[in-house]
Amino acid sequence: MIRVAVIDSGVHAAHPHIIRVDGGASFGHSDRASYNDSLGHGTAVMAAVQEKAPDAEYYALRVFHSALRTRVEFLIEALEWCLTERIDIVNLSLGTSNPDHAARFEMFLRKAPNLVVVAPAGSLPGSHNDVLAADEDPT
């Protein structure tokens, strides 16, 4: 079974477009077990990914809490969680233009040669050679 992690604002598991959530975690928040989405972005992303691959296992990793911004440390922690939990594919519908973060992503990606990371083209980590860069869906 393919294991997919969506790193975003968490997920609202009871939302009608969510097939299921097999687990998750929160990073940068005092309640590490709460991956409930209060912003809606992670839920929308998870629903879109589940529509394409409904039979995978899904994990919601929350790095956004009260706004759609976070610290790179929390994002790296979430990516490390993916390695520990043997996640196959990570979706990051986020990015940074801060060049200081490039080395952090580079170090992580060297440790994770078998992890498939998908991120938006044109920003980090999507602009890294070892990341699948996703362009906007024109439909």
Side-chain angles (χ1 to χ4, degrees):
M1 171 90 45
I2 299 292
R3 296 166 60 91
V4 178
V6 174
I7 300 177
D8 207 292
S9 60
V11 69
H12 178 55
H15 190 283
H17 292 139
I18 297 299
I19 296 169
R20 77 178 171 288
V21 181
D22 297 294
S26 183
F27 302 88
H29 192 270
S30 59
D31 186 359
R32 183 132 173 163
S34 176
Y35 52 83
N36 190 47
D37 187 1
S38 61
L39 298 174
H41 191 265
T43 301
V45 170
M46 176 87 69
V49 173
Q50 286 184 338
E51 182 181 307
K52 303 294 184 191
D55 297 327
E57 286 183 7
Y58 285 95
Y59 298 86
L61 303 183
R62 185 177 179 199
V63 295
F64 300 135
H65 299 280
S66 60
L68 292 176
R69 61 180 164 266
T70 190
R71 296 178 56 185
V72 71
E73 292 81 12
F74 303 148
L75 179 55
I76 297 296
E77 269 187 76
L79 288 165
E80 295 281 353
W81 185 97
C82 292
L83 289 181
T84 302
E85 297 299 319
R86 297 191 168 136
I87 298 298
D88 300 298
I89 301 169
V90 175
N91 181 86
L92 297 169
S93 290
L94 55 90
T96 177
S97 58
N98 186 337
D100 296 337
H101 296 158
R104 301 285 302 270
F105 289 119
E106 178 70 33
M107 281 182 9
F108 172 78
L109 292 167
R110 270 193 238 134
K111 294 190 305 186
N114 298 321
L115 182 65
V116 176
V117 178
V118 181
S123 64
L124 287 168
S127 60
H128 192 280
N129 290 337
D130 294 328
V131 173
L132 292 177
D135 287 322
E136 279 188 42
D137 184 356
T139 58

